Amino acid sequence: MTTKLLNLVLILAICSTFVICNAGGPKKQNFYKKNDVRDNYYAEHCPRAEEVVQSITEKHVLSNPSLPAKLIRVLFHDCFVRGCDGSVLLDSTPNFQSEKEAIPNRGLSGFDVINEIKATLENECPEIVSCADILTLATRDAVSFQYGRPLWKVPTGRRDGTISLASEVLGNIPSPFSNFTVLKNDFERKGLSIADLVALSGAHTIGVGHCNLFSRRLFNFTGNNDQDPSLNPKYANFLRSQCEGPNDRTTTVEMDPGSSLSFDNHYFQILREDKGLFVSDATLLTNKKARKFTKKLLNPKKFFDEFAKSMEKMGVIEVLTGTQGEIRKQCNFVNNN
Ligand code: HEM
């Protein structure tokens, strides 16, 4: 072989080695650090934490069957403002109005149950279990109670935030008057997809809504004393018979009539019969992809799978972990306030 040919073989050999090395790859470092929550975070330092949450929650669900609806709504409102950091649980201070004071949060309840769980856990293992985790676990346990098994997973290790501002609520909590594009953007900003929006709206299978939040659909939809054409006319008559009038702020109606204490996929059946209570429910049928997904969720197994996936996603929105935030001693106050 000539020297030229030898050089060529050598170059080819080096190149191919390089290509192979690159293809096999030096191990890529994983720069994407998933939120640092994990299963059984309290196993070592408060092994009974999850058991305590479950037993106190179940005791309360037994005497108050509307608690699952209360708690899951509180969790949704927590996670959408500053992430799932328990900020919605904080009371106002002389210096600041907390999230609780904002209009969308005024009807929230269930805080007493979270406070009772916290007090019990502080006795057992002080300053270990966060209020953000207690709320996330208690919600799962309350909603799952009727089935006697957990409906979704709750990894733990969230820490509690120290800031709660009423002024941050309206801009983050979706409105019942919103159309599809607005809702889609509200959810996208929290890292949630159209599928999550549809599946999580299925939580409206439990609980109630106040008349003033849908009465425009019954009495004055476009300003001409008319009705929302996307609302089932017979159902509109029924709703009109329930509410005192357009300004009734006190009467509530079941969002899934006849089945509002049972967590199931019945919401999607009534939704597809144009009996969704709010504009934000009805609008899920106006987008092709979302509408198709509502059809899929008529299948109970698919609904439970999708709901679980989306709850697991919602439960880790912008969580504080590691040394961020704090572990509150009381869920309605920050430490050292
Ligand atoms: C898609 C955007 C959403 C909007 C616009 C919305 C809006 C509302 C409104 C206006 C009410 C009635 C409040 C009242 O009259 O006092 C309500 C109730 C409720 N929402 Fe939503 N919601 C949405 C998503 C969610 C999600 C993601 C969940 C949970 C995963 C949820 C769970 C509930 C529950 C369980 C109730 C009944 C609460 C009770 O009975 O006390 N909602 N929602």
Side-chain angles (χ1 to χ4, degrees), residues 1 30-31 37 49 63-64 103 123 125 127 142 159 186-187 197 214 221 227 230 237 249 254 256 287 312 314 326:
M1 258 193 265
N30 190 1
F31 289 110
V37 287
S63 60
N64 175 11
I103 288 172
N123 259 335
C125 16
E127 291 174 66
R159 291 177 54 95
D186 288 346
F187 274 63
L197 163 63
F214 57 85
F221 193 60
Q227 202 170 287
S230 75
N237 284 341
R249 294 175 176 275
E254 298 174 286
D256 180 5
N287 171 274
E312 284 161 25
M314 188 178 90
E326 63 180 18

Side-chain angles (χ1 to χ4, degrees), residues 1-10:
M1 258 193 265
T2 62
T3 326
K4 255 190 180 173
L5 200 59
L6 261 176
N7 279 348
L8 190 66
V9 170
L10 201 65

Side-chain angles (χ1 to χ4, degrees), residues 48-286:
R48 277 183 10 93
E50 298 200 12
E51 205 182 307
V52 169
V53 174
Q54 188 182 356
S55 72
I56 298 179
T57 304
E58 292 186 347
K59 176 187 81 179
H60 283 281
V61 176
L62 270 174
S63 60
N64 175 11
S66 64
L67 184 63
K70 307 291 174 209
L71 287 182
I72 200 169
R73 185 157 184 249
V74 173
L75 179 65
F76 163 49
H77 286 213
D78 186 33
C79 294
F80 267 58
V81 182
R82 290 188 169 264
C84 313
D85 68 341
S87 54
V88 76
L89 305 172
L90 289 169
D91 286 346
S92 293
T93 66
N95 299 326
F96 288 104
Q97 285 206 315
S98 73
E99 290 171 24
K100 277 181 186 174
E101 313 272 338
I103 288 172
N105 287 347
R106 289 195 192 149
L108 296 183
S109 62
F111 300 113
D112 48 339
V113 176
I114 303 302
N115 291 343
E116 182 184 329
I117 297 170
K118 180 62 176 171
T120 311
L121 285 175
E122 281 304 284
N123 259 335
E124 195 153 327
C125 16
E127 291 174 66
I128 299 288
V129 186
S130 70
C131 298
D133 275 343
I134 292 173
L135 174 61
T136 318
L137 288 164
T139 297
R140 190 268 313 268
D141 295 342
V143 174
S144 304
F145 181 59
Q146 74 178 98
Y147 294 100
R149 66 183 166 83
L151 291 180
W152 61 88
K153 288 198 204 106
V154 176
T156 40
R158 293 166 191 75
R159 291 177 54 95
D160 297 323
T162 53
I163 299 168
S164 176
L165 300 171
S167 58
E168 292 183 338
V169 174
L170 267 181
N172 285 293
I173 296 296
S175 153
F177 309 110
S178 290
N179 65 24
F180 185 80
T181 312
V182 173
L183 290 178
K184 175 176 167 279
N185 292 338
D186 288 346
F187 274 63
E188 242 165 33
R189 278 202 305 277
K190 306 295 167 187
L192 300 176
S193 63
I194 290 180
D196 297 318
L197 163 63
V198 175
L200 292 174
S201 293
H204 287 179
T205 185
I206 49 175
V208 295
H210 283 82
C211 285
N212 59 305
L213 298 175
F214 57 85
S215 56
R216 206 170 57 98
R217 304 187 76 197
L218 309 177
F219 298 103
N220 204 9
F221 193 60
T222 64
N224 295 316
N225 296 328
D226 55 343
Q227 202 170 287
D228 181 347
S230 75
L231 182 62
N232 180 307
K234 273 196 188 142
Y235 189 53
N237 284 341
F238 166 75
L239 291 173
R240 231 180 279 112
S241 76
Q242 301 296 298
C243 300
E244 296 286 328
N247 302 316
D248 179 357
R249 294 175 176 275
T250 49
T251 309
T252 56
V253 302
E254 298 174 286
M255 293 195 287
D256 180 5
S259 145
S260 71
L261 293 175
S262 172
F263 182 82
D264 51 33
N265 68 336
H266 196 242
Y267 166 84
F268 293 101
Q269 196 174 316
I270 60 154
L271 182 66
R272 293 177 60 85
E273 291 165 7
D274 295 328
K275 295 176 185 168
L277 192 58
F278 301 120
V279 166
S280 57
D281 296 306
T283 199
L284 299 178
L285 300 177
T286 62

